[in-house]
Amino acid sequence: MDALKSSADDELGMSFYRELEGGENELRFKLFNPDSILPLSDIIPVLENFGLRVMGEHPYEIVCADGRRVWIHNFSLKYTLADSINIAEVKQVFQDAFRAIWKGRAENDSFNRLVLGAKLGWKDIALLRAYARYMKQIRFGISENYIADTLGRYIPISASIVEFFHARFGLAQFGEDEMDARLKKTSEIEEGILESLDAVEQLNEDRTIRRYLELMKATLRTNYFQPDDEGKEKSYLSFKIKPSEISDIPLPRPMFEIFVYSPRIEGVHLRGGKVARGGLRWSDRIDDFRTEVLGLVKAQQVKNAV
């Protein structure tokens, strides 16, 4: 009823559940949309990237007492990444993630397998995706799809990576000796991740996980936990990074670097010193706009030397 009520308010309503007679990995998902039927070609790819296989779909039209029409899409699903799933633990994070993707606040890709597998919210997924995009810009040499597959293959490690970030930058209070307690917590999580690498089979998978830790340790500040002026979550993520603490990063290394990510746009700000000149430049080089900006930094360094 709540889902139907929200759809009547021009919001996409939904209900994610398991039928009593259903199998451990057999699920149901209902979408409630006012006025018009939803295109299946828009919905099915989103569900598949959660690790769900669409077994069937039945649309229904309901006419409300006030004359408004609501379309109900009833999906029969099977979770493909495990033999069972705890619907109570993942229901809310799944519905929040689906809504964020549908509204364009989150991207639809294979990183979303971690929502049901690792019980991570869509913003935590965006965090992992943002660091993967930064890896591309610093010429890490491993594709984004491979990175997503690695995180999906080692789900407990992926959850620990997110836990490491929250322990390092989160707003949770650690007591009177907060800094010492925070460092102790992050060290414990890091040690656990490194011990888990013994079970990682491929060298590039090992490199990927270590690179996440390295980038998070090189991050000085972030807006991840910062609300906007209205108290809502910001539509973008930003990270202030210290390039000197990142191995194999293209030279010259700026003193500081700010990477900005959102589903709509990405950007980078390179600073050669604590006080540095700056400017704005639009780039169509999606895969290596940092290389373009770094070239401008090199040119400016030559001018300054002259």
Side-chain angles (χ1 to χ4, degrees), residues 276-287:
R277 294 180 60 190
L280 292 175
R281 183 181 182 91
W282 177 265
S283 176
D284 291 323
R285 294 168 57 170
I286 299 174
D287 292 333

Side-chain angles (χ1 to χ4, degrees), residues 181-250:
R182 190 181 293 272
L183 290 174
K184 181 181 179 181
K185 180 65 174 178
T186 54
S187 296
E188 290 175 353
I189 298 171
E190 182 179 4
E191 289 175 6
I193 293 173
L194 295 178
E195 289 176 1
S196 300
L197 291 179
D198 292 338
V200 174
E201 298 177 359
Q202 301 294 327
L203 176 60
N204 281 341
E205 293 172 343
D206 183 288
R207 289 180 59 214
T208 297
I209 295 167
R210 291 180 187 273
R211 181 54 63 113
Y212 266 105
L213 285 175
E214 184 180 47
L215 292 181
M216 289 181 179
K217 290 167 69 175
T219 301
L220 303 177
R221 295 169 63 187
T222 179
N223 78 330
Y224 180 92
F225 301 95
Q226 199 176 62
D228 60 17
D229 294 337
E230 297 179 356
K232 300 179 180 179
E233 293 178 331
K234 291 187 174 180
S235 61
Y236 62 92
L237 296 176
S238 62
F239 309 94
K240 183 178 181 180
I241 298 169
K242 192 173 183 179
S244 61
E245 297 183 5
I246 302 174
S247 60
D248 303 324
I249 195 170

Side-chain angles (χ1 to χ4, degrees), residues 31-269:
L31 282 172
F32 303 80
N33 191 59
D35 302 327
S36 62
I37 194 168
L38 296 171
L40 291 181
S41 59
D42 292 344
I43 302 171
I44 292 177
V46 178
L47 296 175
E48 289 178 340
N49 276 326
F50 282 111
L52 297 167
R53 185 180 181 187
V54 179
M55 308 303 293
E57 184 268 347
H58 300 282
Y60 305 93
E61 185 183 25
I62 292 180
V63 180
C64 301
D66 59 0
R68 297 197 62 186
R69 298 177 182 272
V70 175
W71 279 93
I72 302 176
H73 296 264
N74 188 3
F75 289 91
S76 175
L77 307 170
K78 178 173 287 188
Y79 186 55
T80 62
L81 304 182
D83 295 331
S84 64
I85 183 171
N86 189 326
I87 189 69
E89 292 181 351
V90 300
K91 177 177 180 177
Q92 195 58 51
V93 291
F94 170 80
Q95 292 186 173
D96 290 344
F98 188 95
R99 182 174 284 107
I101 294 168
W102 194 257
K103 291 187 174 182
R105 289 185 291 158
E107 294 192 55
N108 176 35
D109 57 22
S110 53
F111 280 92
N112 293 328
R113 284 176 292 182
L114 295 170
V115 172
L116 296 178
K119 306 178 185 66
L120 295 177
W122 67 268
K123 194 172 181 181
D124 286 331
I125 306 297
L127 168 72
L128 296 172
R129 187 183 294 114
Y131 274 111
R133 295 290 174 83
Y134 182 67
M135 291 182 202
K136 180 194 298 184
Q137 296 300 324
I138 61 175
R139 299 319 214 199
F140 180 44
I142 294 178
S143 71
E144 187 174 337
N145 286 335
Y146 189 94
I147 293 172
D149 289 343
T150 298
L151 295 178
R153 188 174 183 183
Y154 302 100
I155 286 177
I157 296 179
S158 302
S160 294
I161 291 173
V162 173
E163 184 185 8
F164 177 85
F165 181 89
H166 280 263
R168 181 171 170 82
F169 299 105
L171 303 179
Q173 297 295 317
F174 286 89
E176 294 182 0
D177 300 325
E178 180 169 347
M179 185 56 65
D180 291 339
R182 190 181 293 272
L183 290 174
K184 181 181 179 181
K185 180 65 174 178
T186 54
S187 296
E188 290 175 353
I189 298 171
E190 182 179 4
E191 289 175 6
I193 293 173
L194 295 178
E195 289 176 1
S196 300
L197 291 179
D198 292 338
V200 174
E201 298 177 359
Q202 301 294 327
L203 176 60
N204 281 341
E205 293 172 343
D206 183 288
R207 289 180 59 214
T208 297
I209 295 167
R210 291 180 187 273
R211 181 54 63 113
Y212 266 105
L213 285 175
E214 184 180 47
L215 292 181
M216 289 181 179
K217 290 167 69 175
T219 301
L220 303 177
R221 295 169 63 187
T222 179
N223 78 330
Y224 180 92
F225 301 95
Q226 199 176 62
D228 60 17
D229 294 337
E230 297 179 356
K232 300 179 180 179
E233 293 178 331
K234 291 187 174 180
S235 61
Y236 62 92
L237 296 176
S238 62
F239 309 94
K240 183 178 181 180
I241 298 169
K242 192 173 183 179
S244 61
E245 297 183 5
I246 302 174
S247 60
D248 303 324
I249 195 170
L251 299 175
R253 292 174 175 170
M255 177 175 286
F256 301 114
E257 184 166 340
I258 298 174
F259 179 72
V260 179
Y261 161 81
S262 80
R264 295 179 60 247
I265 193 170
E266 296 175 28
V268 68
H269 173 58

